[in-house]
Amino acid sequence: MQTDTFRLRVNGRNLEILRIAAREGNAPELVFLHEGLGSVSHWRDFPARVALATGCGVTVYSRYGSGNSDVLDGSRDVRFMHDEALLALPELLSQLGIESPILVGHSDGGSIAIVYAGVHDQAQGLVLMAPHVFVEDLSVASIAEAKVAFETTNLGKKLGLHHRDAARTFWGWNDIWLDPEFRKWNIEEYLPRIKCPALVIQGLQDQYGTMAQVEAIRRQCGGPVEVLALEDCMHSPQRDQPEKVLEAISAFVHRLR
């Protein structure tokens, strides 16, 4: 597969970009939106496997503060995912000439995809893996546990394999999710405005969210919603159940085409 890695200035920040060329003519572009502590490299080979299975072009990028993109130079505020969906993502798509993407979002990336699709009518479809539309007690408790793990284990060293400044990346994510103001965060208002089809993939053992998130999306979304609930699967379906997730995404993309 033909791949290209480069940096692009988006919304005043230099972002790390990976693009995999489509193998089939007129194939849609899949744009991958990573989790809160994710990055281009953190996806491992999953985007390439999706590209191979679907024949589609794939774009993967590290958001500001993650991966090899510009290092976070301050704290995040409660609307950081809104800003990504409404400012950074539209500019990135415009600069890359991507007009009708299929957004593949994991965790925070899934939430960003929801906000984007609730405002812009360009998305062909959404693949939402372990998305959040509101804050649950389970999420906060697990993020508090992650704070302890970062302070007492080699978690920082592991994250350093995927980020220019693992500490800033971690605290930028952890601090805002544990901020009392963030308990009010809610993006359910965007769901009825979404018209494109969505595939929601949720691990039944997800330590950061429950099926309540999925039910809220299925109940309120303005477009058709398919749900894949996976046993023996925690917060990263693409790692815990990669074959089932790959098969589901491939079938979803095929139906969209």
Side-chain angles (χ1 to χ4, degrees):
M1 291 182 292
Q2 180 182 346
T3 63
D4 188 20
T5 303
F6 55 96
R7 285 163 69 83
L8 185 68
R9 193 158 185 84
V10 175
N11 198 32
R13 308 290 184 178
N14 294 308
L15 303 185
E16 173 191 20
I17 315 287
L18 168 67
R19 300 199 78 182
I20 303 172
R23 293 187 300 109
E24 300 178 10
N26 299 317
E29 187 86 2
L30 278 64
V31 178
F32 281 68
L33 307 170
H34 62 74
E35 63 179 291
L37 295 177
S39 66
V40 168
S41 66
H42 201 254
W43 283 106
R44 302 179 183 174
D45 66 344
F46 188 71
R49 295 186 66 190
V50 173
L52 185 63
T54 62
C56 295
V58 163
T59 295
V60 191
Y61 75 103
S62 298
R63 296 193 294 276
Y64 163 55
S66 300
N68 283 318
S69 296
D70 280 356
V71 173
L72 189 67
D73 61 6
S75 59
R76 298 195 185 277
D77 73 17
V78 171
R79 288 184 58 84
F80 77 97
M81 284 184 270
H82 288 75
D83 291 342
E84 185 68 30
L86 303 178
L87 300 174
L89 181 56
E91 183 178 331
L92 180 139
L93 296 175
S94 176
Q95 289 199 47
L96 295 178
I98 301 172
E99 296 183 352
S100 300
I102 298 172
L103 300 178
V104 182
H106 176 216
S107 191
D108 285 10
S111 303
I112 290 164
I114 287 168
V115 175
Y116 175 88
V119 173
H120 300 279
D121 196 26
Q122 279 82 14
Q124 285 191 48
L126 305 178
V127 177
L128 308 172
M129 297 185 287
H132 306 281
V133 292
F134 53 83
V135 179
E136 296 182 87
D137 291 341
L138 174 68
S139 307
V140 174
S142 292
I143 290 170
E145 290 177 7
K147 176 180 180 179
V148 175
F150 189 82
E151 293 172 332
T152 60
T153 72
N154 66 344
L155 177 58
K157 184 176 181 180
K158 291 180 179 178
L159 290 175
L161 300 175
H162 302 287
H163 302 285
R164 291 173 61 188
D165 190 323
R168 289 193 185 186
T169 299
F170 179 83
W171 293 119
W173 165 78
N174 195 263
D175 285 348
I176 190 59
W177 270 89
L178 295 182
D179 189 317
E181 280 298 305
F182 200 74
R183 295 303 294 262
K184 305 173 188 175
W185 178 87
N186 187 301
I187 58 170
E188 291 176 278
E189 66 180 288
Y190 294 94
L191 294 171
R193 309 178 203 172
I194 296 173
K195 305 306 177 187
C196 64
L199 168 64
V200 186
I201 303 173
Q202 179 70 32
L204 293 175
Q205 287 75 41
D206 189 339
Q207 69 273 37
Y208 288 103
T210 71
M211 286 295 292
Q213 305 283 345
V214 178
E215 292 306 320
I217 294 169
R218 178 158 49 185
R219 185 176 65 253
Q220 300 179 67
C221 201
V225 177
E226 302 173 40
V227 174
L228 175 61
L230 294 171
E231 286 282 4
D232 300 318
C233 183
M234 298 180 71
H235 189 58
S236 298
Q238 74 277 14
R239 292 189 182 183
D240 292 348
Q241 297 283 355
E243 301 305 328
K244 291 181 179 179
V245 172
L246 184 62
E247 180 182 0
I249 293 176
S250 299
F252 179 72
V253 171
H254 178 75
R255 288 192 293 275
L256 287 178
R257 296 181 66 183

